[in-house]
Structure formats: C-alpha cells, structure tokens
Amino acid sequence: MKKIYLDHAATTQLDQNVLEKMMPYMRNYYGNPSSIYTLGRENKKAIEDSREKIASCFNCKSSEIYFTSCGTESDNWAIKGICSFNKNKGMHIITTNIEHHAVLDTYLYMKKQGFNITIVPVEKNGIIDPAKIEKEIRKDTILISVMFANNEIGTIQPIAQIGAIAKKHSVIFHTDAVQAAGSVEIDVQKMNIDLMSISAHKFYGPKGVGALYIRRGIMIDNLFHGGGQEKTRRAATENISGIVGMAEALKLSVDNMQIYNKHIRTIRDAVKKGIEEKIPYIIFNGDADERLVNNINFCFRFIEGESLILMLDFKGISASSGSACTSGSLDPSHVLLALGLPHEVAHGSLRLTFGRDNSIDDVDYIVDNVAEVVEKLRQMSPLFETFLKEKS
Ligand code: PLP
C-alpha cells in the first residue's frame, strides 16, 4: 500500500542533510559550550554560527536570536515575559481568535493574572483586518500578538501592516511564525516585528528546538533563572545538535524557498482542483490566495472529520482534521468556528498539508481516495439521506 504523508503542518521529516550536520554534535562534540577548553569552545562556536545563520534568514542581528525548546516555549516566553516586565506601563493585550493554543491559552492565563485581553475576530476568509486591531489599541495596551500564518487554514496575515500600526502606537508586536518560517519571506525590520517565535520541526529540522527573536531594546523578563546561557535570559545547557540542525534546516528552506514552494504549490493546486471537481457539498476554508502554498482545508458536509482521517489512514494517507494539538478533543476547531461555520459543518473538516517529499504522481491516488471515503461516509449518514430526500 502507498504511504502518503499529508500532514506537514503537524510536523516534517528531518532533512537528511540536516541530520548529517547534527550527527557529530550528538557524540563526538559533547563538550559543554560554557567550558573554556577546546571541546567546549568549539561547541560555543557552532552555536554562535547557527545564531548568525538564522539571523541572516530574517534580516536581524544574531544577538537578537534566543534559542528555546519549541514554538510553544517561544510563544509563552514572549507573552508572559513582555506582560510581566511591562505591567507597570499597562495591562491591556490584543490578539486574534485564530491563534494557536500556545498563544491563546497563554493570553487566557494572563487574564487570570489580571490582564485585560481583547480578542479581535478575523474576517470570513480567515484574515484579520489591521484597522480592527488599530481600533482596539488603548493607552494601556502593551502587546499585540498576531500569528504570521495559521496552522489550520494556512491564511497569511497582513503582518507588515500590523507591525506598522504597532510601531505608530509604540506597542510591542509579537508574531507566531511557527508555520510561516522557511516558506514565507520574513524581514523583521521591514515588517516591524519586535518578537517572533519559530520551531525547527516545522521546516524539516529536529523536534525539541525553537527560537525567539527579540528585537534589541525590547525589555522582557528572563524565562529561566540559572546559568549565563542566552545572556542569562534563558539559562540551560544548550541543545547543540538541535540548534545546529535548526539553523541548517532554516537556511536550506530559505535558500531554496522558490523551488520548494513551486513544487508544493503544483501538487496542492492539483489536489484542490480534483477534490472540488469530484466531491459535491464542500466548503473551502480560508482565503484562496493569501495562504501558505502547502495548505488546503475543506469541510465536507454530513460527515465527521475523525472518521475521514481514520479511513484515509487505512488507505495509507496521513492527514488531519484540525490541529494535531487539539485532535482527541471533541470540540470543533476554534479556527473553523471563527470563520462563522456552524458546529456540525466544522466537524467535517479535512486539512491536507503538502511537503517536499510529496509527488505529483500521487495526486490521483489522493483525490480518488478522499472522494471514495467521503462517499462511503455520506452513505452511512442519516443526515445526508434526509438532505437528499428534501432536495429531490
Ligand atoms: N504555533 C503554531 C502556529 C503552531 O502550528 C504550532 C505547532 O503546531 C506551535 C505554535 C507550537 O509549536 P511546537 O510544536 O514547536 O511547540
């Protein structure tokens, strides 16, 4: 049976070249980077070279890149760190209703600490209107967080416009770029981004390593207290192989962005066209143009997304219904509800996210199997039967 992985928004396979770069740091170069002898100093250099490489991908200084363990940690640090350092200036924070739970739940936690949150709703196409963000800015607003690209529907937000608004009002601007880094061009200077979260496993790097960009001059509470690593802001012995792997993976992604994106977009568009031609009663979620090249998200009326995922798995296709972090929960995706979809429709969602390892030769197999499974599930649905009777 074919095995086709269509869940690259959940995670990606480690690139072979990245693995090779990482290997020596897993065993041979085992020194602690804080040690002053050669074995330590060499590793310190590998970390600083990686910082430089990552900074060159976002047009920032290497001193503005801080290593973390994942995107969730970066988001938590950015929000909690800014809120707690700046609470004397104000306690109002702004975000959107389609953020990843790593942001939304951190904001809800800050609410319990006494902060006021404004959650601005996106438009029906899954894109935020920057004017609506600006309207919510108050004298006591200290932070705005808007994700760069959404993990479920792939919509890319007008980050440069929001950055300009934040700058105009002297409010700190954080973006969760976990889904965007490596596949969208990001320039933190041009876009006026003050803090930005990334995670290596989303761009063919290793799991368990991420970074937070913190613009020079932005005051933030330290995340961990302990040693002097990351300029004392995030103490802990560094994950050297992970850091080296993340830098290599990001550089490979950014240097080859056009080539990879063209390949992925071609396959994605062919599958989208096939599904739209073959399957009736479907809704395409999110803006058709302003979205990541690898993402399509549909709701198939009268069926349950979970059943769809399990049946596609029997066909060797790995896909997702909602984000990996919320699968297992029976609640429909907050992102799909934010688009105004009713609960029963949001339940029937399918997210396909394509990657470098997919082939155009698999398009027919994917489309045929999605169509077959949807048809089977609808035949078992009493709601679909009623719908057909009422229609005829
Ligand atoms: N933010 C977004 C937009 C994501 O898609 C994810 C993971 O799916 C995260 C944050 C969390 O990243 P990590 O898995 O590295 O903790």
Side-chain angles (χ1 to χ4, degrees):
M1 188 175 58
K2 269 186 187 282
K3 286 262 172 243
I4 304 178
Y5 184 73
L6 298 181
D7 204 13
H8 293 82
T11 197
T12 53
Q13 185 180 29
L14 187 64
D15 184 288
Q16 182 64 34
N17 295 312
V18 173
L19 174 65
E20 279 159 26
K21 283 270 178 192
M22 292 170 67
M23 284 306 274
Y25 297 94
M26 295 201 173
R27 193 165 153 77
N28 301 351
Y29 301 136
Y30 55 86
N32 189 316
S34 300
S35 303
I36 58 170
Y37 42 77
T38 311
L39 206 54
R41 281 204 319 270
E42 278 171 353
N43 283 347
K44 180 91 185 142
K45 180 162 183 334
I47 291 173
E48 293 319 314
D49 289 349
S50 300
R51 218 187 289 279
E52 193 69 55
K53 239 186 204 175
I54 293 174
S56 73
C57 294
F58 299 131
N59 189 24
C60 63
K61 298 184 194 74
S62 62
S63 57
E64 297 172 311
I65 298 292
Y66 293 81
F67 294 117
T68 65
S69 70
C70 57
T72 304
E73 182 184 321
S74 301
D75 286 340
N76 270 259
W77 183 16
I79 296 165
K80 291 175 186 165
I82 290 296
C83 286
S84 98
F85 196 95
N86 293 283
K87 60 178 181 283
N88 292 335
K89 290 192 194 144
M91 293 187 75
H92 179 237
I93 49 192
I94 301 176
T95 192
T96 79
N97 60 349
I98 59 161
E99 298 297 310
H100 188 273
H101 280 291
V103 167
L104 266 186
D105 291 12
T106 308
Y107 268 74
L108 294 177
Y109 170 78
M110 295 323 296
K111 189 176 178 184
K112 286 194 196 137
Q113 311 305 308
F115 285 82
N116 302 304
I117 321 171
T118 300
I119 300 180
V120 181
V122 292
E123 304 302 303
K124 281 210 157 37
N125 63 354
I127 297 189
I128 197 84
D129 175 356
K132 290 194 177 159
I133 300 262
E134 183 162 28
K135 227 175 110 216
E136 297 298 341
I137 296 176
R138 318 189 313 209
K139 274 206 173 72
D140 60 341
T141 307
I142 53 167
L143 177 64
I144 297 171
S145 283
V146 177
M147 72 194 321
F148 210 115
N150 183 266
N151 44 303
E152 292 188 46
I153 53 173
T155 46
I156 298 174
Q157 304 302 324
I159 292 301
Q161 286 180 55
I162 300 165
I165 289 169
K167 188 175 178 195
K168 183 171 120 192
H169 293 271
S170 304
V171 177
I172 298 171
F173 176 42
H174 163 247
T175 186
D176 172 344
V178 167
Q179 290 291 335
S183 64
V184 179
E185 277 178 33
I186 301 179
D187 182 322
V188 293
Q189 305 307 331
K190 278 195 195 142
M191 296 174 165
N192 287 302
I193 296 167
D194 295 316
L195 299 114
M196 182 173 77
S197 310
I198 65 166
S199 180
H201 74 103
K202 305 290 185 180
F203 46 82
Y204 306 83
K207 293 171 181 57
V209 60
L212 180 65
Y213 156 76
I214 308 176
R215 179 186 290 282
R216 189 163 171 256
I218 293 287
M219 303 307 278
I220 182 169
D221 261 9
N222 292 352
L223 179 66
F224 299 154
H225 302 93
Q229 296 92 347
E230 303 302 284
K231 298 194 283 266
T232 73
R233 284 180 145 179
R234 192 223 183 239
T237 300
E238 299 88 339
N239 170 4
I240 308 160
S241 62
I243 289 169
V244 168
M246 174 164 62
E248 184 65 14
L250 185 66
K251 189 90 176 75
L252 274 175
S253 301
V254 169
D255 287 352
N256 298 292
M257 195 183 284
Q258 305 302 336
I259 299 166
Y260 290 141
N261 281 0
K262 187 167 178 243
H263 169 75
I264 293 168
R265 182 187 279 118
T266 307
I267 301 169
R268 191 269 316 256
D269 288 351
V271 171
K272 177 175 184 278
K273 186 165 175 276
I275 288 179
E276 286 174 338
E277 278 170 7
K278 278 204 157 179
I279 312 178
Y281 317 121
I282 65 178
I283 295 157
F284 182 69
N285 297 313
D287 195 90
D289 302 316
E290 288 302 309
R291 70 193 295 135
L292 294 171
V293 295
N294 76 344
N295 174 295
I296 44 176
N297 187 310
F298 285 103
C299 282
F300 298 97
R301 292 182 63 203
F302 314 109
I303 64 171
E304 286 289 331
E306 282 72 18
S307 317
L308 185 56
I309 299 310
L310 291 177
M311 285 177 70
L312 286 175
D313 190 31
F314 289 135
K315 307 278 189 182
I317 298 174
S318 306
S320 153
S321 180
S323 70
C325 317
T326 49
S327 59
S329 134
L330 288 177
D331 292 334
S333 142
H334 68 285
V335 176
L336 298 179
L337 295 182
L339 303 184
L341 293 172
H343 276 235
E344 68 279 10
V345 174
H347 267 302
S349 74
L350 174 69
R351 177 186 75 178
L352 300 179
T353 46
F354 300 83
R356 296 173 199 168
D357 44 310
N358 292 134
S359 160
I360 192 80
D361 299 337
D362 289 332
V363 169
D364 288 346
Y365 184 86
I366 299 165
V367 172
D368 291 348
N369 279 290
V370 173
E372 188 189 310
V373 167
V374 168
E375 172 72 19
K376 253 190 205 151
L377 288 169
R378 280 183 176 163
Q379 274 167 13
M380 291 189 274
S381 159
L383 288 176
F384 189 52
E385 207 184 322
T386 317
F387 168 78
L388 287 182
K389 268 192 203 136
E390 282 172 3
K391 213 172 144 273
S392 61

